[in-house]
């Protein structure tokens, strides 16, 4: 059915009695790396399979989201490597501009210094020093998890090659007039003192205040409401809807702006919702993105009233106040003038905060660098629409189109020192020169470089091709671009994914950066709640790996990974996966001690028992099923399929059914030992991508092969035996029914009971010994008295329960249970037979009663059968 990667031999050594992940995982991973299993050869004639790692921040450490995503990518790449692909999982880290600068600035603050004390060059040197000493700890944690990445190719978004790629594409976009400089509203962090991207803004419901106040006097009075009274100092208009009859007489007139010596116009704009509030809104173009658009349409001035630290700069009594101090002071001043008509406190509303320092974001008009995204976004949308790129699951396509079809121009400049400095020089006479990587910047008096750096997403957007040597036409770029699949969370579909699509199509002559975008959900706690330190439910995955092993964490995560759906996880689930790993270990150890082998050819079907043929048939169906699930990125389903095949069918049924054969020895034991060896060989290969450590350890012991990492992926041989499957299904039915009866009678699992099995003429006859072994049934012997008779699967199992149970007490208990079930049936039938009740009751109530009726009827049948089987005396 499959071939080992090296000539199989007898098991090389005995396995320890217990599996100890800590004794195996670290050394085994280093052996994989030393042998170069994860490296990728651009000169290989194998078909390529390429995946990039979503580059974690250099400041980061492994969290459950990383562990989840890395497990899925690692499973894909391990399988493809086993299938014969030249597999590249590209590792690397993001320089994380704001996060990294904040870390180093905090270190400086402990020394009583700021970055300005050091100066730009010295500060950047300090950041590089920090990276060398403390950055990148996540790389070691990825090794703990078992990430099969090509470590020799590890990249960093600030390394020399990627920096050249950044400068190259900036220059090309600038020359194509797709990068420009302009004043627009941006997200501004008054603490980090920089513009930040939308993804770096976290929205939460805050308690604030909604203040309604009057502008103008007399007939010109109009009421507006705001949660940010301090911005009124920068108002340059009041806007109303053009069809709002209440304010038609005011449109075009000037009204008094309170607390100032200015008058502002009333303008008509369709953006205003006449049903919201008073139907009139204050317009502050320099401090609100919607107001900025209104201002552009009506040629309104933009008056900035705060500096970069959100301190009021307007001359007068509020100058020098922080924005929150100014808010209270301005409301008090308006109240003193009698202009406050309503105040609502607390007023809960969504407020943006900096994801790094949690400071409230300030929308701010600022001169920044921008990417003109319209043509780039159209190309990104077209690539999905025409099928060059597939989004999985497909229902996520709509969200993708909603985003790329409505993209605003992208602010790419950041007021930081750590990052890719924008390659633009300004001259003394207002000259602006963009410099490419092979060009010399202008020099001379008055020339200086732009101080801003680029948004981190700008460099990470180049990741699929910059890591392969672009703009040079390298062998790696030719071999491994485009990526086969991008595995990432749906939460960054709009940010990182869209930017990679835009840049990849632009830089690579219309070739998209990947063929498939496979989106997964977010990891949540076992109750479905978002994990957060503030909630007290955040988990360090390293703790669970220390406690239960990396395989256990990986299997738990994969088993919950339905496409595009959030993944709940709890510690007891990881403990259950640890038990699964132990089960694989113990069952394989038992099999090795009882003749399981991969030596020699697989016996012919004629030599095999029906039990052997059954497990091989189920094995091949599982191979086909797992392959189909992999191709559809159904990690949860493939993990579930493997779990049930391994635990239920191989360990609980095949091994147990075969024990009598192994104990008896002889030719049939040899045949079944070879079949069991084959089953374990293929099963361990199938499990390896998800649980690599325990499977590699067991497989090398079983086969003598070098490593599962480079072994062949199993193929479905096409072998099927439906007759054997039906036969073993009958055996399972007999064992299951008799076990249930024993349990109902209160017999202990190990308690032996004399029994007569009438199996002649049925497919069960060859399995009598196994059935007796599984059910702890003794031969009938002298004095056998059949006190219970169970007809099942065309056979009869007669049991002598004399002396094993209190028949009278058991009959009394069952009779009581039967009465309760009959009462339930009567009540349900009464309600379902009442037309008046059915006419009024909700559908879900009626359905619930029908379910209760069905359950009770089944219970009556079960209890009646048990009563009939009880001894009569």
């Amino acid at each position: 059915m499959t071939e080992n990667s090296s000539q199989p031999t007898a098991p090389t050594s005995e396995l320890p009695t217990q599996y100890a992940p800590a004794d195996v995982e670290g050394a085994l991973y280093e052996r994989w790396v030393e042998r170069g299993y994860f490296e990728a050869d651009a000169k290989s004639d194998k078909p390529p399979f390429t995946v990039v790692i979503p580059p974690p921040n250099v400041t980061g450490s492994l969290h459950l989201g990383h562990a989840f995503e890395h497990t899925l990518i690692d499973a894909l790449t391990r399988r493809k490597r086993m299938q014969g692909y030249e597999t590249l999982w590209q590792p690397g880290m993001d320089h994380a501009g704001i996060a990294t600068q904040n870390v180093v600035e905090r270190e400086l603050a402990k020394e009583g210094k700021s970055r300005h004390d050091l100066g730009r060059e010295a500060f950047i040197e300090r950041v590089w020093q920090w990276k060398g000493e403390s950055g990148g700890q996540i790389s070691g944690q990825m090794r703990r998890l078992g990430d099969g990445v090509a470590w020799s190719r590890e990249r960093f978004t600030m390394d020399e090659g990627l920096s050249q790629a950044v400068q190259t594409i900036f220059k090309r976009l600038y020359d194509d007039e797709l990068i420009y400089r302009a004043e627009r509203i941006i997200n501004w962090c008054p603490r980090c003192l920089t513009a930040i991207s939308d993804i770096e803004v976290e929205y939460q419901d805050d308690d604030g205040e909604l203040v309604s106040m009057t502008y103008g006097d007399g007939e010109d009075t109009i009421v507006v409401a705001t949660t940010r009274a301090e911005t009124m100092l920068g108002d340059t208009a009041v806007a109303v809807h053009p069809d709002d009859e209440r304010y038609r007489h005011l449109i075009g007139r000037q009204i008094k702006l309170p607390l100032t010596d200015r008058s502002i116009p009333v303008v008509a704009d369709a953006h205003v919702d006449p049903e919201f509030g008073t139907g009139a809104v204050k317009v502050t173009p320099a401090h609100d993105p919607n107001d900025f658009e209104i201002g552009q349409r009506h040629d309104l001035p933009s008056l900035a009233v705060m500096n970069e630290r959100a301190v009021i700069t307007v001359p007068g009594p509020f100058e020098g106040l922080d924005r929150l101090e100014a808010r209270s002071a301005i409301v008090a001043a308006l109240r003193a003038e009698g202009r406050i008509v309503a105040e609502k406190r607390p007023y809960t509303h969504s407020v943006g905060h900096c994801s790094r320092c949690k400071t409230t974001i300030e929308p701010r008009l600022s001169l920044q660098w921008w990417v003109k995204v319209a043509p780039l976004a159209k190309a990104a949308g077209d690539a999905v629409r025409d099928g060059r790129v597939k989004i999985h699951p497909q229902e996520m396509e709509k969200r993708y189109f909603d985003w790329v079809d409505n993209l605003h121009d992208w602010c790419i400049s950041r007021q930081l020192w750590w990052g890719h400095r924008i390659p633009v020089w300004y001259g003394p006479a207002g000259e602006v020169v963009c410099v490419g990587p092979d060009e010399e910047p202008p020099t001379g008096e008055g020339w200086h470089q732009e101080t801003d750096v680029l948004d981190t997403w700008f460099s990470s957007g180049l990741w699929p091709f910059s890591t392969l040597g672009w703009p040079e036409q390298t062998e790696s770029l030719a071999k491994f671009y485009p990526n086969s699949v991008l595995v990432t969370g749906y939460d960054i579909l709009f940010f990182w994914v869209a930017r990679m699509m835009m840049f990849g199509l632009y830089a690579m002559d219309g070739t998209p950066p990947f063929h498939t975008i496979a989106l997964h959900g977010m990891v949540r706690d076992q109750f479905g709640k978002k994990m957060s330190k503030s909630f007290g439910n955040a988990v360090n995955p390293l703790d669970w790996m220390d406690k239960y092993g990396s395989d256990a964490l990986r299997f738990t995560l994969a088993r919950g990974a339905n496409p595009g759906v959030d993944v709940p996880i709890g510690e007891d689930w990881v403990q259950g996966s640890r038990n699964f790993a132990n089960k694989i270990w113990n069952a394989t150890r038992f099999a090795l001690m009882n003749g399981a082998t991969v030596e020699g050819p697989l016996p012919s079907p004629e030599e095999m028992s029906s039990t052997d043929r059954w497990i091989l048939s189920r094995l091949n169906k599982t191979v086909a099923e797992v392959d189909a699930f992999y191709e559809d990125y159904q990690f949860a389903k493939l993990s579930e399929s493997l779990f049930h095949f391994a635990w239920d069918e191989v360990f609980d049924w095949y091994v147990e059914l075969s024990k009598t054969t192994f104990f008896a020895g002889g030719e049939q034991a040899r045949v079944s030992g070879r079949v069991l060896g084959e089953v374990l060989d293929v099963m361990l290969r199938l499990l390896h991508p998800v649980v690599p450590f325990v499977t590699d350890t067991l497989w090398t012991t079983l086969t003598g092969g070098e490593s599962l990492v480079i072994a062949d992926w199993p193929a479905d041989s096409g072998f099927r035996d439906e007759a054997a499957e039906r036969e073993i299904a009958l055996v399972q039915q007999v064992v299951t029914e008799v076990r249930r009866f024993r349990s109902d009678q209160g017999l202990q699992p190990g308690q032996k009971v004399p029994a007569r099995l009438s199996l002649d003429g049925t497919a069960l006859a060859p399995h009598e010994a196994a059935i007796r072994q599984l059910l702890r049934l003794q031969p009938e012997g002298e004095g056998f008295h059949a006190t219970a008779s169970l007809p099942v699967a065309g056979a009869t199992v007669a049991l002598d329960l004399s002396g094993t149970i209190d028949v009278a007490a058991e009959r009394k208990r069952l009779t009581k249970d039967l009465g309760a079930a009959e009462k339930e049936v009567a009540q349900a039938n009464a309600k379902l037979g009442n037309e008046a009740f059915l006419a009024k009751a909700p559908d879900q109530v009626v359905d619930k009663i029908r379910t209760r009726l069905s359950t009770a009827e089944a219970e009556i049948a079960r209890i009646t059968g048990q009563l009939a089987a009880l001894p009569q005396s």
Side-chain angles (χ1 to χ4, degrees):
M1 291 173 61
T2 58
E3 294 181 1
N4 298 304
S5 59
S6 61
Q7 183 64 32
T9 62
T12 56
S13 62
E14 277 196 19
L15 291 167
T17 55
Q18 291 183 325
Y19 177 51
D23 295 341
V24 171
E25 293 177 349
L28 182 55
Y29 185 85
E30 290 309 314
R31 186 155 66 247
W32 291 337
V33 172
E34 289 167 6
R35 293 177 177 177
Y37 292 159
F38 304 138
E39 296 305 322
D41 182 4
K43 300 181 185 297
S44 167
D45 58 2
K46 296 179 182 178
F49 183 82
T50 316
V51 183
V52 294
I53 192 171
N57 288 352
V58 67
T59 59
S61 60
L62 191 75
H63 56 62
L64 269 180
H66 290 129
F68 173 54
E69 186 167 81
H70 290 201
T71 294
L72 304 188
I73 300 174
D74 197 41
L76 287 177
T77 54
R78 283 178 182 271
R79 173 174 174 262
K80 286 295 183 180
R81 189 179 294 110
M82 294 172 75
Q83 287 182 312
Y85 286 78
E86 192 62 36
T87 302
L88 169 59
W89 184 9
Q90 174 66 56
M93 286 183 292
D94 192 288
H95 65 278
I98 296 177
T100 306
Q101 181 156 319
N102 280 348
V103 167
V104 178
E105 285 197 83
R106 282 197 295 270
E107 286 196 353
L108 286 174
K110 294 175 184 176
E111 303 170 13
K113 298 178 182 177
S114 74
R115 60 183 163 118
H116 300 285
D117 294 325
L118 270 66
R120 184 167 193 145
E121 288 188 11
F123 176 76
I124 291 173
E125 286 181 12
R126 181 70 177 260
V127 178
W128 279 108
Q129 179 185 342
W130 173 86
K131 176 188 179 293
E133 295 172 355
S134 307
Q137 64 173 319
I138 195 171
S139 295
Q141 296 164 349
M142 287 164 57
R143 293 171 182 261
R144 283 285 315 277
L145 189 65
D147 284 6
V149 299
W151 287 112
S152 69
R153 291 172 172 265
E154 187 173 13
R155 302 301 300 269
F156 180 56
T157 50
M158 285 284 285
D159 68 30
E160 184 177 351
L162 268 64
S163 296
Q164 183 183 22
V166 167
Q167 192 172 356
T168 299
I169 202 162
F170 186 98
K171 171 69 171 175
R172 292 187 187 179
L173 289 164
Y174 182 87
D175 290 346
D176 287 343
E177 298 183 348
L178 293 174
I179 283 182
Y180 64 95
R181 195 179 188 217
E183 272 196 325
R184 298 278 182 84
I185 294 285
I186 45 88
N187 301 309
W188 181 265
C189 177
R191 156 62 184 81
C192 298
L193 299 180
T194 181
I196 65 174
S197 67
D198 291 338
I199 199 172
E200 292 164 321
V201 179
E202 292 180 348
Y203 288 90
Q204 65 184 49
D205 288 338
D206 286 357
D207 286 340
E209 59 182 354
L210 180 66
V211 179
S212 298
M213 51 195 176
T214 59
Y215 283 16
D217 297 300
E219 293 182 355
D220 291 347
T221 299
I222 193 167
V223 177
V224 298
T226 183
T227 59
R228 305 177 67 226
E230 70 278 10
T231 64
M232 68 155 294
L233 299 174
D235 287 356
T236 55
V238 171
V240 298
H241 194 277
D243 298 330
D244 194 332
E245 293 294 335
R246 294 173 295 177
Y247 304 119
R248 189 178 293 276
H249 68 288
L250 288 176
I251 295 174
R253 294 176 67 171
Q254 298 280 325
I255 61 173
K256 170 72 174 175
L257 179 64
L259 307 183
T260 73
D261 57 1
R262 293 191 292 117
S263 293
I264 58 177
V266 177
V267 299
D269 196 280
H271 171 77
V272 178
D273 180 1
E275 302 299 322
F276 182 77
T278 63
V281 297
K282 59 191 287 297
V283 181
T284 321
H287 292 280
D288 183 275
N290 293 322
D291 292 3
F292 178 78
E293 298 296 332
I294 294 175
Q296 292 291 100
R297 288 193 288 273
H298 298 277
D299 198 26
L300 300 173
S302 296
L303 302 180
V305 299
M306 292 178 234
N307 65 14
E308 70 274 11
R309 298 185 184 275
V311 172
I312 300 298
T313 57
V314 178
F318 311 111
E319 185 177 9
L321 294 180
D322 169 83
R323 56 184 166 170
L324 297 181
E325 296 171 334
R327 183 177 300 171
S328 299
I330 287 171
V331 170
L334 289 168
R335 191 183 298 114
E337 289 191 3
R339 290 189 173 274
I340 301 296
V341 297
E343 296 179 71
K344 185 176 181 180
R345 296 190 184 89
Y347 178 73
T348 303
H349 60 132
S350 182
V351 178
H353 296 260
C354 174
S355 63
R356 304 298 177 191
C357 67
K358 311 308 176 185
T359 302
T360 300
I361 289 302
E362 187 64 42
R364 185 169 187 252
L365 185 64
S366 181
L367 182 63
Q368 302 284 346
W369 284 92
W370 303 81
V371 172
K372 186 184 298 182
V373 300
L376 303 174
K378 181 181 183 305
D382 290 346
V384 175
R385 287 190 170 94
D386 63 25
R388 282 176 289 157
V389 177
K390 297 187 183 302
I391 293 180
H392 190 279
Q394 191 173 1
E395 54 265 29
M396 287 285 184
E397 281 187 4
K398 183 180 183 302
R399 296 178 66 179
Y400 176 79
F401 292 136
D402 286 346
W403 179 259
V404 297
D405 293 347
N406 297 284
L407 269 179
H408 298 294
D409 285 1
W410 169 22
C411 176
I412 55 172
S413 45
R414 298 290 180 266
Q415 290 64 56
L416 304 170
W417 286 356
W418 173 245
H420 296 282
R421 193 167 176 181
I422 291 176
V424 169
W425 272 254
Y426 303 109
E431 302 95 332
V432 179
V433 176
C434 180
V435 178
D438 300 322
E439 300 172 347
E440 290 295 324
T443 58
E445 186 176 349
W447 282 95
H448 63 280
Q449 187 179 355
E450 169 66 68
T451 56
D452 289 353
V453 300
L454 288 165
D455 178 12
T456 298
W457 295 100
F458 191 94
S459 51
S460 60
L462 314 181
W463 193 249
F465 53 92
S466 63
T467 52
L468 298 173
W470 188 91
E472 301 299 324
Q473 297 304 305
T474 63
E475 286 184 322
S476 290
L477 188 64
K479 177 74 174 180
F480 295 114
Y481 186 91
N483 279 214
S484 307
V485 60
L486 173 74
V487 179
T488 192
Y490 62 69
D491 58 324
I492 57 173
L493 172 64
F494 316 126
F495 301 99
W496 187 47
V497 179
R499 281 152 174 70
M500 285 191 292
M501 285 285 283
M502 291 191 295
F503 281 163
L505 290 159
Y506 174 79
M508 299 300 293
D509 300 320
T511 301
F514 18 74
H515 297 302
T516 300
I517 302 169
L519 297 170
H520 59 71
M522 305 295 103
V523 178
R524 297 183 178 272
D525 71 12
Q526 59 189 319
F527 306 109
K529 189 175 181 180
K530 180 181 177 182
M531 285 191 173
S532 167
K533 290 181 181 178
S534 60
F535 295 156
N537 64 349
V539 173
N540 183 346
L542 297 171
D543 293 340
W544 281 351
M545 287 192 281
D546 288 342
K547 196 170 183 181
Y548 304 112
S550 298
D551 283 333
L553 176 64
R554 289 170 62 114
F555 192 71
T556 305
L557 291 166
R559 204 173 174 189
N562 289 297
V565 179
D566 288 347
V567 182
I569 184 172
E571 184 171 0
D572 54 336
W573 303 345
V574 184
Q575 185 175 352
S577 295
R578 187 272 313 274
N579 295 343
F580 179 51
N582 288 344
K583 183 77 170 181
I584 300 171
W585 183 273
N586 293 333
T588 303
R589 187 169 176 273
F590 169 85
L592 287 170
M593 291 190 298
N594 287 276
T597 180
V598 296
E599 287 190 24
L602 197 63
S604 67
E606 291 74 23
E607 298 175 85
M608 298 179 195
S609 67
S610 56
T611 308
D612 295 332
R613 296 195 303 275
W614 161 73
I615 196 62
L616 290 177
S617 184
R618 290 297 308 132
L619 175 67
N620 277 285
K621 286 184 178 179
T622 302
V623 171
E625 188 173 72
V626 168
D627 274 333
F629 287 144
Y630 262 116
E631 295 304 315
D632 199 33
Y633 304 100
Q634 297 279 0
F635 295 98
K637 290 182 178 179
L638 72 89
S639 299
E640 202 69 15
S641 176
L642 287 168
F643 174 84
H644 288 296
F645 175 73
W647 194 305
D648 299 345
E649 297 186 295
V650 178
F651 305 147
D652 280 359
W653 285 108
Y654 181 72
V655 169
E656 293 299 322
L657 286 169
S658 301
K659 278 183 177 178
T660 53
T661 301
F662 291 136
F663 294 161
E667 179 60 18
Q668 191 55 54
R670 185 196 67 80
V671 170
S672 293
R674 180 65 187 88
V675 170
L676 180 53
E678 182 75 10
V679 170
L680 291 175
D681 177 15
V682 174
M683 184 193 76
L684 292 170
R685 293 172 195 252
L686 290 174
L687 282 164
H688 175 72
V690 181
V691 283
F693 293 105
V694 67
T695 52
D696 196 53
T697 304
L698 294 172
W699 185 84
T700 52
T701 302
L702 170 70
T703 68
E706 183 180 341
S707 173
L708 261 180
V709 180
I710 55 170
D712 294 333
W713 180 253
D716 174 9
S717 72
F719 178 81
R720 302 287 191 275
D721 193 325
E722 301 298 338
E725 291 198 41
R726 289 191 295 271
E727 182 175 318
I728 300 305
L730 293 176
V731 176
Q732 292 172 324
Q733 184 181 349
V734 169
V735 173
T736 301
E737 289 295 324
V738 176
R739 277 178 175 167
R740 184 181 296 121
F741 176 78
R742 288 175 55 110
S743 176
D744 289 340
Q745 304 309 315
L747 297 178
Q748 295 300 314
Q751 188 173 350
K752 294 182 178 180
V753 177
R756 177 189 300 132
L757 275 60
S758 302
L759 307 178
D760 291 346
T762 73
L764 297 166
H767 303 283
E768 179 169 350
I771 291 172
R772 285 187 176 276
Q773 169 73 20
L774 288 168
L775 291 172
R776 304 294 189 267
L777 301 180
Q778 295 177 318
E780 49 194 278
E782 289 187 19
F784 176 81
H785 176 55
T787 58
S789 183
L790 302 175
V792 57
T796 302
V797 179
L799 304 173
D800 184 355
L801 301 179
S802 303
T804 60
I805 61 172
D806 184 337
V807 176
E810 186 64 15
R811 187 179 299 281
K812 183 178 179 180
R813 182 184 70 81
L814 290 172
T815 301
K816 181 180 178 181
D817 291 347
L818 179 63
E822 289 172 337
K823 183 179 179 181
E824 179 74 18
V825 167
Q827 291 176 341
N829 278 328
K831 289 185 177 180
L832 294 174
N834 185 333
E835 294 296 333
F837 171 78
L838 293 177
K840 295 179 180 179
D843 289 345
Q844 60 266 31
V845 173
V846 176
D847 289 342
K848 188 174 181 179
I849 293 171
R850 287 186 176 130
T851 300
R852 284 166 50 194
L853 173 62
S854 177
T855 302
E857 288 175 339
E859 188 71 356
I860 288 173
R862 183 185 69 82
I863 296 170
T864 302
Q866 289 181 39
L867 283 167
L870 282 175
Q872 298 303 310
S873 59

